[in-house]
Amino acid sequence: MTFVVTENCIKCKYTDCVEVCPVDCFHVGPNFLVIDPDECIDCTLCEPECPAEAIFSEEELPAGQEHFKQLNADLAKQWPVITERAPAPADAKEWDGKPDKLKLLER
Ligand code: SF4
Ligand code: F3S
């Protein structure tokens, strides 16, 4: 099993999640983070840390977010690991909860 970063992280990218992960499985892109499913040990620590409530267990993915499981796996192979919190984008709050952010994902 793994945890998955879903759509609401896009353009919010608070990075609170990376501070608590004991196995450094977060990878970072320009405006989104993903979890490497091969590294995640299902400790559950990151899920409550995300201010945008973007992290879910793969078994509890909200309707319409199922494809983020494969997207996390794919992008984790391409993006570098992030282990330290970084400042969120200045407009992160404005993007929190906005629908259809997948088209804004930068790779
Ligand atoms: Fe890391 Fe635990 Fe979150 Fe998996 S569930 S990404 S191991 S903090
Ligand atoms: Fe994204 Fe939430 Fe982490 S917005 S960077 S999953 S704290």
Side-chain angles (χ1 to χ4, degrees), residues 1-21:
M1 215 178 81
T2 182
F3 278 66
V4 176
V5 184
T6 62
E7 189 164 15
N8 203 35
C9 175
I10 296 170
K11 291 182 78 69
C12 286
K13 201 185 176 193
Y14 285 113
T15 69
D16 298 48
C17 52
V18 305
E19 294 259 294
V20 297
C21 183

Side-chain angles (χ1 to χ4, degrees), residues 43-106:
C43 74
T44 77
L45 290 176
C46 58
E47 184 177 5
E49 291 301 315
C50 175
E53 297 181 4
I55 303 176
F56 295 88
S57 157
E58 68 174 318
E59 292 178 338
E60 294 174 349
L61 282 167
Q65 298 290 300
E66 297 88 351
H67 53 297
F68 276 84
K69 183 182 168 192
Q70 189 61 50
L71 190 61
N72 275 236
D74 292 345
L75 294 176
K77 290 192 175 72
Q78 299 170 28
W79 287 349
V81 169
I82 175 172
T83 57
E84 284 181 19
R85 197 173 168 185
D91 58 354
K93 219 169 186 164
E94 290 163 39
W95 285 101
D96 189 356
K98 286 254 167 76
D100 300 326
K101 289 199 278 183
L102 183 55
K103 58 180 185 266
L104 303 171
L105 174 66
E106 296 171 32

